[in-house]
Amino acid sequence: MRVVHVLGDRRDHFESIKDVWEIFRIVSEERKRREIDPTLRVLAECVVEAKAHPTARGKRTRGERLETMLEFLTVMTGLFDECCACRSRR
């Protein structure tokens, strides 16, 4: 949303972004910033803590599962960044 001034009118008028891809990019980047980035930070902390306190039970330890999840989210975040970069070059 942005403010648009109409000549002769003192009120503020609002106009939305017309490009659907731009709206998608803005919403996605904000959700990533608020939801995914904090999750990645906490997950990285959990991986460090799990490595410091390993467990002996089960085939896949807690640390391995956390590392796999962190790797997956990191790859998906990179893919998202690449998609946004490609769209902005057009």
Side-chain angles (χ1 to χ4, degrees), residues 48-67:
V48 169
E49 188 175 321
K51 283 183 178 180
H53 303 93
T55 60
R57 58 180 189 162
K59 292 182 180 178
R60 291 181 48 103
T61 64
R62 173 185 52 188
E64 289 173 341
R65 286 192 306 265
L66 288 171
E67 280 186 80

Side-chain angles (χ1 to χ4, degrees), residues 7 11 14 18 27 42 48 52 74 82 84:
L7 190 63
R11 294 178 294 167
F14 297 93
K18 304 281 189 251
V27 170
V42 170
V48 169
T74 303
E82 285 291 320
C84 287

Side-chain angles (χ1 to χ4, degrees), residues 20-71:
V20 175
W21 287 105
E22 183 67 13
I23 293 170
F24 174 75
R25 184 191 63 77
I26 291 169
V27 170
S28 298
E29 285 177 352
E30 284 301 311
R31 289 197 65 171
K32 177 185 171 289
R33 182 183 62 80
R34 283 181 300 183
E35 298 171 20
I36 302 299
D37 292 344
T39 302
L40 283 171
R41 282 192 295 274
V42 170
L43 201 51
E45 291 172 9
C46 289
V47 167
V48 169
E49 188 175 321
K51 283 183 178 180
H53 303 93
T55 60
R57 58 180 189 162
K59 292 182 180 178
R60 291 181 48 103
T61 64
R62 173 185 52 188
E64 289 173 341
R65 286 192 306 265
L66 288 171
E67 280 186 80
T68 303
M69 191 181 311
L70 178 61
E71 181 183 341

